Amino acid sequence: MSDLTLNIASLPGNVGVQAQRSQAADICARTGLPGKRDEDWKYTDISRLTATLGDAWWLTAPTAINSDATSLATIDDLDAYRLVFIAGQFQPEQSNLPDGVQLRPLSELLQNDTDDSAHCLFKLDESAPLFNGLLAANSALASDGLCACIGDGIKLDKPLYAVHVGNSTAHTLNGLMLGKGAEATLIEHFIGTDSDQAGLSNIATYLRLGDNAALTHYRLQLESDKQFHVGRVEVKQARDSRYTLHAVELGGSLSRADIVVNLAEPGASCALNGLFVASGRQHIDHHTRIDHNAPHCCSRENYRTVLDGRAHAVFNGKIVVAEGAVKTDSAQSNGNLLLSKHAEIDTKPELEIYNDDVKCAHGVTVGQLDKNQLFYLKSRGLSEDEARQLLTVAFADEILVAMDIKAVRSFIEKEAFSKLPNLGDLEGVLG
Amino acid sequence: MLKIENLHASVAGKEILKGINLEIGAGEVHAIMGPNGSGKSTLSNVIAGRDGYKVTAGSVTYNGKDLLAMEPEERAWEGVFLAFQYPVEIPGVNNTYMLKAGVNAKRKHQGEQELDAIDFMQLVKEKAKLVELNESFLSRGVNEGFSGGEKKRNEIFQMAVLEPSLALLDETDSGLDIDALRIVANGVNKLRREDRSIVMVTHYQRLLDYIEPDFVHVLADGQILKSGDKSLALELESRGYDWVKEEAAA
Ligand SMILES: Nc1ncnc2c1ncn2[C@@H]1O[C@H](COP(=O)(O)OP(=O)(O)O)[C@@H](O)[C@H]1O
Ligand SMILES: [Mg+2]
């Protein structure tokens, strides 16, 4: 692990950032990668990372990408401000940034020795929920990302669309701050190229919502099928702010995301919508943690997974209601559709409630396609495959309809269900 | 035409159909009546191809083809339609989308050109009028949140759209109030054609006041005990089923 320190000397950032980098490198060296003994990693074996990428898994793999993002499967009919990152590096000539808001790539901020605005992004809190060595590696090594500050009362007229391309190893650090009453939509889209190379996308995204601010956040993971993806989304919400996440997991070999939301002030609300569609030997894991730290906050969580082949998904939804967080309103639901008898889901709601004045509902379902529904559709003339496709899409529909940008929604619909060719594997399950 | 010979079928190891013989010619309307639990739905389901039934003997042929060897969708392509006794709700699957997929699969099977969205919408709106189904139901999830009566109406609407040559109506009249029954029955009557056979499964004679059958059969304990014309239904209405059973046992 100590090697990691050697890598940071060449990275951008002023003295302050460098100091934080070496602290992070030390933490990473000390904590190492999470292991099976770690309760939060019980079902996700991250040793696959070292097995594939070697002991120096954090190293930036040689970048063999010269492609430009326009040739890739991005969401084309989307009217948005585009920020393109290839192999973790910002591509100014492929991007178009909005005027009138502070929005710059991290790499640019780090070049300016007198600019301290990036410092806070590099600061680590080891006691934070779901903290781990991967996040420390991110702080130690991140050299680019999106940094934006949407001022008070500003409503961004178009979504920010950050496209991250590459099968390479990249540590990306994003920070987005919304001032009082500000409104924005952020779309993070992770895609691979058709190269066979495997790498690690290590993405940390810090979001701060001021009083009454509203952020809609799409996190679309469509990496290539050998890629490792680990991410952390950390949200801190001030009074009456509203955060909506649409987390879509379609790609990658192993993908893990930690979603940590702090409802810090009264009246804040969040909605986390998740959709996994996995097949083959894909492994997808979301750990979500919502802290109700103030009265009258509301959280909604709805995750749906569709698993085929030997795919394995993990969902852990932890909700912690603090002592003073009276009138908490929280609901969590997790539905799982297993299209194959070899697919596997580990799902666990976790509630920690420290006061009596709360409303907390949660529910989990795991099942196969309903054979009465299948028969009904077939009796109307739909083929077996068509009927299965349709019921699978219907199962995911609840998550899809919540996506308010039509272009994103139809893109995801298309990508999600073109990847389930193996619908024949059902025989034994339906009996 | 449909030809059922010596059909035996069991569910979960229990024999339900015990030697059914029945022929249904093109354009004929048959009523199959019988007490609850006599095997009426089992018969309909076996013809439509539902899983879970084991045919232990006998045959079902339709226009000379072995229906039992076909998948449910293939039977639909051959013109078989089942109006379900208990139509299932399929949230998230659009009613019209399902029908379009069904119609086009059948057209494809028959070597006809598929309908485009505009032509299909026109067809669907026209057929909805037949059962006085509000257009708002067209874009809802299949039977999602429909009342019992709306579900039955939706079944007949689907029949109108899919244009089967053999329609099996399993207790389409149950759970309907008089007004709804009249609407549904009117719809069915408008769908009567010389080349379309209709089998009405019911245990109420009431439906037959509105849709006049050519033949009436009594199904009890897995067998057709008696067949006759419309007057048999009236007799059943006044005398119940027991006398048929006694007569058959004698
Ligand atoms: N899936 C099943 N499992 C066990 N028994 C069944 C099943 N379906 C039907 N049966 C039994 O078969 C018999 C006939 O049922 P059914 O065909 O539904 O009768 P009907 O439609 O005439 O009321 C009943 O005794 C019923 O309990
Ligand atoms: Mg019945």
Side-chain angles (χ1 to χ4, degrees), chain B residues 11-12 14 16 34-43 53 85 170-171 201 219:
Chain B
V11 179
K14 183 178 149 204
I16 308 293
N36 274 329
S38 58
K40 302 184 299 294
S41 290
T42 302
L43 178 62
Y53 299 90
Q85 179 173 6
D170 190 358
E171 306 252 6
V201 170
L219 178 66

Side-chain angles (χ1 to χ4, degrees), chain B:
Chain B
M1 76 161 195
L2 180 75
K3 194 167 180 182
I4 302 171
E5 283 180 304
N6 188 33
L7 182 65
H8 289 254
S10 56
V11 179
K14 183 178 149 204
E15 184 165 62
I16 308 293
L17 301 182
K18 303 172 179 171
I20 302 273
N21 291 291
L22 189 62
E23 282 190 20
I24 294 174
E28 293 174 1
V29 175
H30 290 237
I32 296 180
M33 305 186 67
N36 274 329
S38 58
K40 302 184 299 294
S41 290
T42 302
L43 178 62
S44 315
N45 287 331
V46 167
I47 298 171
R50 192 184 201 121
D51 267 356
Y53 299 90
K54 190 165 182 196
V55 174
T56 50
S59 66
V60 180
T61 55
Y62 184 57
N63 296 333
K65 292 180 189 163
D66 178 7
L67 269 193
L68 299 180
M70 296 180 199
E71 285 291 311
E73 63 271 31
E74 294 172 302
R75 302 181 199 207
W77 302 338
E78 293 295 329
V80 177
F81 175 85
L82 170 65
F84 286 66
Q85 179 173 6
Y86 303 110
V88 57
E89 297 197 16
I90 316 183
V93 173
N94 178 291
N95 212 12
T96 304
Y97 185 95
M98 172 192 73
L99 284 172
K100 182 162 174 273
V103 165
N104 280 335
K106 185 173 172 184
R107 291 179 78 96
K108 207 168 146 190
H109 175 75
Q110 292 169 336
E112 290 171 33
Q113 201 172 0
E114 296 180 25
L115 294 181
D116 65 25
I118 296 165
D119 288 345
F120 189 76
M121 266 328 280
Q122 206 171 346
L123 170 81
V124 151
K125 285 182 176 173
E126 195 182 295
K127 303 290 186 182
K129 289 198 191 105
L130 212 65
V131 283
E132 300 175 31
L133 190 72
N134 191 304
E135 277 184 26
S136 68
F137 286 84
L138 301 178
S139 54
R140 276 165 65 174
V142 176
N143 295 317
E144 187 179 357
F146 289 23
S147 71
E150 287 159 355
K151 284 180 185 165
K152 296 300 176 85
R153 230 189 268 193
N154 193 28
E155 294 294 288
I156 300 307
F157 159 67
Q158 294 184 28
M159 170 183 166
V161 173
L162 292 166
E163 305 196 305
S165 53
L166 172 65
L168 310 162
L169 314 183
D170 190 358
E171 306 252 6
T172 298
D173 53 328
S174 323
L176 294 184
D177 58 34
I178 294 288
D179 290 334
L181 177 66
R182 198 176 291 131
I183 291 168
V184 166
N186 276 340
V188 174
N189 280 328
K190 285 183 205 148
L191 293 171
R192 284 179 83 150
R193 275 173 33 174
E194 271 178 21
D195 56 355
R196 177 172 296 144
S197 318
I198 298 176
V199 180
M200 295 182 290
V201 170
T202 179
H203 66 271
Y204 301 114
Q205 121 83 24
R206 190 178 70 151
L207 176 67
L208 310 185
D209 291 341
Y210 296 93
I211 308 171
E212 200 172 305
D214 301 309
F215 301 95
V216 174
H217 311 276
V218 178
L219 178 66
D221 195 22
Q223 284 183 314
I224 289 183
L225 298 185
K226 195 174 177 70
S227 297
D229 61 12
K230 196 183 168 235
S231 62
L232 176 57
L234 295 170
E235 210 171 344
L236 292 170
E237 170 88 338
S238 58
R239 296 177 62 194
Y241 290 104
D242 288 345
W243 65 274
V244 186
K245 290 187 195 168
E246 281 157 24
E247 199 180 272

